[in-house]
Amino acid sequence: MKKALITGITGQDGSYLADLLLEKDYEVHGIIRRASTFNTARIDHLYADPHINGVKMFLHYGDLSDSVNLVKLIYDLKPDEIYHLAAQSHVRVSFDIPEYTSDVTGLGTIRILEAIRETGIRSRFYQASSSEMFGKVQEVPQVETTPFWPRSPYGVAKVFAYWATVNYRESYGLCASNGILFNHESPRRGETFVTRKITRAVAAIKHGLQNELFLGNLDAKRDWGYAPEYVEGMWRILQHDEGDDFVLATNETHTIREFLEIAFGRADLDWKKYVKHDDRYERPAEVDLLIGNAAKAKRILDWEPKVRFRELVEIMVDADMKLFARPRAQEHLGQMP
């Protein structure tokens, strides 16, 4: 039985990855931060499943700012694979808290890599790199060799983490890999991210619980895929015999405006009647166009996306429509100011 350690296990990608690894008979360990409230909703079903019942999944308190704790965890667990997904991952928020974003998203990666080196445990390491590293894109589409030009503190921190992973691979012979993932969404996407913000608003408006949706730039173009497929790509990257870097993307780009059209159309609504512009959601420096070519992943890993843009949007809208049909969700929204 292989043993995996996941940072960010309570997030969208971490929860889907835990699902996948447990299905593959892994023993799964996750790092969570201590908080006064529970933040495990995305993985609670794993404990409720009578076929899994938590026997092969374990959670540990930890923090990416605490290198001593990371060394201790890795030494005690001796994981075969480490998936480093945790970060301050909201791009717009990174402009408000750049120092924290840099410490957690950038230096947090160094702390894990150094823990692997210090303990001498030859875990395979996956770094969750991001298409935001390309920023002001230097070529279209973007591939593994495209130069980086990040346009946010988040993107800058991810570039740091990317090169740290390459450096430890080349300097110490670690089996360390970067997955450069373009935008990937799902019904488990965080509620403050624009895609989920839109699909939740569609459901709330359809149920009479919301009247308006405020957004920023509607013309930004993104390459959107389906998160469960992308976590399978992460797993395939670590099954490769040596560390390497891979782009995971759909090679299609769509605007936020297109996302709105499909999402509201799924509920027979006209998005133009409900969507309003708000300067607060504009970034100081925008990333105008992202589109990735995953030909290398297809050739080496036999990975390619199957869920395309329209289907992805409809999956998310349908899930939120179902969620907001529940009395508890309606009651909760009805009490919000």
Side-chain angles (χ1 to χ4, degrees), residues 27-56:
E27 180 179 301
V28 175
H29 295 260
I31 298 177
I32 61 172
R33 286 176 295 174
R34 178 71 179 90
S36 58
T37 57
F38 290 110
N39 185 31
T40 58
R42 294 185 181 96
I43 55 174
D44 284 347
H45 66 283
L46 296 175
Y47 290 106
D49 189 327
H51 300 292
I52 298 173
N53 67 33
V55 170
K56 294 187 297 182

Side-chain angles (χ1 to χ4, degrees), residues 131 134 142 180-184 223 230 247-249 290-292:
S131 59
F134 296 121
Q142 294 87 59
I180 307 174
L181 272 58
F182 282 63
N183 293 63
H184 46 288
D223 183 326
Y230 282 55
V247 163
L248 300 186
L290 291 175
I291 177 171

Side-chain angles (χ1 to χ4, degrees), residues 175-194:
C175 186
S177 297
N178 283 290
I180 307 174
L181 272 58
F182 282 63
N183 293 63
H184 46 288
E185 317 296 318
S186 76
R188 297 185 192 176
R189 188 53 143 156
E191 297 168 6
T192 60
F193 290 84
V194 66

Side-chain angles (χ1 to χ4, degrees), residues 12 25 27 33 35 61 85 89 92 111 123 146 148 190 211 215 239 242 247 254 260 264 266 295 300 304 325:
Q12 170 189 253
D25 204 33
E27 180 179 301
R33 286 176 295 174
Y61 288 123
L85 313 183
S89 58
R92 178 61 189 84
R111 293 182 183 111
S123 306
T146 301
F148 301 135
N211 297 317
L215 296 174
Q239 307 320 298
E242 56 188 25
V247 163
H254 299 274
L260 284 167
F264 276 81
R266 184 69 169 174
I300 296 176
E304 61 181 336

Side-chain angles (χ1 to χ4, degrees), residues 1-2 20-27 56:
M1 182 184 294
K2 284 187 177 181
L20 178 71
L21 296 180
L22 288 168
E23 288 173 5
K24 293 183 179 296
D25 204 33
Y26 276 65
E27 180 179 301
K56 294 187 297 182

Side-chain angles (χ1 to χ4, degrees), residues 3-11 13-22 27-32 57-60 77 79 81-86 112 234:
K3 186 184 297 184
L5 175 62
I6 304 172
T7 72
I9 194 170
T10 59
D13 291 2
S15 65
Y16 281 123
L17 182 59
D19 288 339
L20 178 71
L21 296 180
L22 288 168
E27 180 179 301
V28 175
H29 295 260
I31 298 177
I32 61 172
M57 189 175 80
F58 306 89
L59 300 179
H60 309 268
L77 295 177
E81 299 169 3
I82 297 175
Y83 296 87
H84 178 37
L85 313 183
I112 296 178
M234 298 176 188

